[in-house]
Amino acid sequence: MVYPFENENIHVRAEFPYHFKSTDQLEIDLMSVIMEPIPFFAFHDSLLLTLFHSKKDYFLIPAKKNKKRRNLYFRFDVQVLKPKDYNSPSGSTIFRHNYKGYDFGK
């Protein structure tokens, strides 16, 4: 899914690579640890927006909000694709969030 961020000076998109193994694994991992099962598509735009604006390569699900009862850090490799890298007609930079896995923090 792609989430566009635009202002007058910059054209940016953020995305989880759709139908990639890493994105499928993210959905599986999230559904296995969250307390209330919510379809991934219901919140992935908000998640992308949060990751993009926070400029972090992870998000946290606190211990009291997950089944494992420990802080869970879901980590991403953020790949920046400039327009010249993928022949963009629109000139958008893409921030692609490739899921790496989750851990219990430092």
Side-chain angles (χ1 to χ4, degrees), residues 1-2 6-7 11 17 27-28 32 35 38 44 49 53 55 61 71 75 77-78 85 87 91 94 106:
M1 178 51 79
V2 175
E6 305 220 7
N7 69 29
H11 299 282
E27 185 172 0
I28 290 167
S32 72
M35 301 293 252
I38 303 168
H44 69 289
L49 185 63
H53 285 297
K55 295 182 173 62
I61 298 180
N71 287 341
R75 307 219 182 250
D77 175 34
V78 181
D85 297 333
N87 298 321
I94 296 176
K106 300 171 183 159

Side-chain angles (χ1 to χ4, degrees), residues 1-5 12-20 22-24 26-27 39-52 76 79 81 93-99:
M1 178 51 79
V2 175
Y3 192 90
F5 307 94
V12 177
R13 298 183 329 172
E15 68 180 20
F16 293 124
Y18 213 49
H19 297 300
F20 274 47
S22 70
T23 305
D24 293 342
L26 170 60
E27 185 172 0
F40 183 60
F41 70 84
F43 63 88
H44 69 289
D45 284 351
S46 297
L47 181 55
L48 275 173
L49 185 63
T50 300
L51 286 168
F52 180 79
F76 298 85
Q79 182 181 13
L81 301 175
T93 297
I94 296 176
F95 289 81
R96 180 172 288 163
H97 296 75
N98 298 307
Y99 178 59

Side-chain angles (χ1 to χ4, degrees), residues 66-78:
N66 70 66
K67 294 176 185 176
K68 296 200 181 273
R69 298 293 185 210
R70 294 178 67 187
N71 287 341
L72 297 176
Y73 293 84
F74 285 76
R75 307 219 182 250
F76 298 85
D77 175 34
V78 181

